[in-house]
Amino acid sequence: MAKRIRYTYKKQQREINFAQDKYHDMFEAIAAAEGVDIGDYVKMEQAVAMTSKRKAAVRNFRDEYFAKLGFSNIQFIKE
């Protein structure tokens, strides 16, 4: 089943194809589609995951980071 990602970037709704073999997760895919470098984010996410006892901390960090970059309403669409 093909997957697509729908998201809003800088107040414009966009949709892209998602390939599991090419990207680790949908956040990596949308950053690549928009040409945003998330190298620092990956390092900080790993640090938060190692120091936090809850998965919610990683999720909150990710959501806040991508909101600062201008992303919102990120969701998978199954076709």
Side-chain angles (χ1 to χ4, degrees), residues 25-65:
D25 59 16
M26 68 177 159
F27 297 97
E28 208 174 285
I30 62 173
E34 298 300 334
V36 177
D37 179 28
I38 58 170
D40 293 335
Y41 159 75
V42 173
K43 291 175 189 174
M44 285 300 298
E45 181 187 36
Q46 291 171 350
V48 170
M50 288 190 315
T51 59
S52 174
K53 295 180 182 180
R54 301 177 306 137
K55 289 185 179 181
V58 175
R59 189 170 46 245
N60 290 339
F61 173 73
R62 181 191 63 218
D63 292 344
E64 289 176 14
Y65 187 86

Side-chain angles (χ1 to χ4, degrees), residues 7 14-17 23 27-36 71:
Y7 62 96
R14 300 172 189 210
E15 199 169 301
I16 60 169
N17 291 324
Y23 300 107
F27 297 97
E28 208 174 285
I30 62 173
E34 298 300 334
V36 177
F71 292 99

